[in-house]
Every structure is written in C-alpha cells, then in structure tokens.
Amino acid sequence: MSISPSHASNQKRLPLVLGAACSVGALLALSSPTASAVAPLSATANYDCGSWGSGVAKLTAADSGTSKTIKITSSDIKMPAGTSADPNSITTTLKLTKVSGGVTSQVQFSAKANPGMTGGNPITLGPLKLTSGTLAAGDSTNSVVLATPPSTTNWSLQIVASSPTSATVPCVATGTQTAPFVW
C-alpha cells in the first residue's frame, strides 16, 4: 500500500494538532476555579412559617470554589392566597449553626432571588449566598432550631417579600436537618 504525499503530510500534522489541543485543555483546567465538594448535596428540615405554613423544606447546597449557596424549596410552605411575588422581589435570610474544629457559631446565607410566585404555590427561594461568617473545608452547618412561635426577633429563616405584596415572614426550624452539610 502506498501513501500519497498529502496523506503523509496529514499524518505528520496530527501529533502537532493533538499536542496543541491537549495544551489548551490543560490551560483551561488550570485557570478554572475548582468546585469544592459539599455533602450531602441536599437535606430537609421542618420549618414553622406562621401564616405561610409549616412543614418540610428542602435545602440544596452548592460550593463552586468561589461561592457557597443554599436554595430552599417547599411544597408545605406557601405564599398565602391572594398574594404574589415578582421575580427577584423576596429577600431571604437563612441562619445556620456552624461547627468548626469543635467551636460552634452561626453563619448566614442571604439573597434577593426567587422566581415569580402566586398565593397557594410552593416556595422557591435562592440560591442564597453566604453573606455572614466563613466556611472552610470540613466545617459543618445545620438548621438553627428555635422554639415556636416565630417572631421578628425569633427566627431561623426570614422571608421579606416586597413586590407586589409586602410581608415579613419569620420562620423557625423546629428540628435539625436530615443530615448536616459538610463543606
């Protein structure tokens, strides 16, 4: 079998093209922030949110390496009938207990992030960003469990709706998460 001159030329270029592609791939991998693991990725906890309802809320955690977030969803906790919220009109703040090296403190996640919602629909809040405190690899977080009823000074989760309905809804966690998050 004879190799044509153009085929031989292509064979010589193939290693150069592969080498260049591998170099670009390695450069991109080095310049991208690495995602850190958080385990488990989701957990549930029971919350009492007064007029917005009580029950199970799912907390979904993420750690991109540059930011730590938690998203809250619940089909038990709902906006009351006759109310609504425009997209990104609810400021949500979540307090969690942090354990780091045997020392217990608190961290907070907060953001003004939500889809549009109407009364009677399940809530979706976040993703909420870590806004108070720090989390290092190996730190764990869990719900801040407080006595009921929730109030303006007694809350683990606070929901502040601003448009078109205005409401401040304090919630208390009535139990710890099904599993703490380990960052």
Side-chain angles (χ1 to χ4, degrees):
M1 172 176 195
S2 68
I3 298 177
S4 69
S6 65
H7 188 255
S9 175
N10 286 340
Q11 284 182 335
K12 290 178 184 174
R13 285 190 215 145
L14 185 59
L16 292 174
V17 171
L18 286 175
C22 289
S23 295
V24 169
L27 181 61
L28 288 173
L30 290 174
S31 65
S32 300
T34 56
S36 300
V38 57
L41 294 178
S42 65
T44 60
N46 286 316
Y47 282 85
D48 176 352
C49 293
S51 63
W52 283 38
S54 298
V56 175
K58 180 180 179 183
L59 309 177
T60 303
D63 186 347
S64 70
T66 56
S67 83
K68 294 165 179 28
T69 62
I70 295 180
K71 185 175 183 179
I72 303 168
T73 56
S74 177
S75 54
D76 293 334
I77 301 167
K78 303 173 184 178
M79 293 190 74
T83 64
S84 63
D86 292 334
N88 302 319
S89 66
I90 296 177
T91 302
T92 306
T93 305
L94 173 69
K95 292 179 188 175
L96 295 177
T97 299
K98 167 187 160 182
V99 177
S100 178
V103 177
T104 302
S105 60
Q106 277 189 5
V107 293
Q108 289 186 13
F109 289 78
S110 187
K112 192 172 194 175
N114 61 278
M117 295 186 288
T118 58
N121 288 331
I123 61 164
T124 299
L125 305 167
L128 312 177
K129 296 178 182 180
L130 179 65
T131 55
S132 176
T134 60
L135 289 171
D139 290 351
S140 67
T141 58
N142 209 327
S143 299
V144 173
V145 179
L146 298 170
T148 57
S151 71
T152 56
T153 58
N154 183 53
W155 57 271
S156 313
L157 169 66
Q158 182 169 265
I159 304 164
V160 180
S162 61
S163 177
T165 301
S166 296
T168 299
V169 182
C171 307
V172 292
T174 57
T176 57
Q177 295 169 199
T178 50
F181 292 126
V182 179
W183 299 89

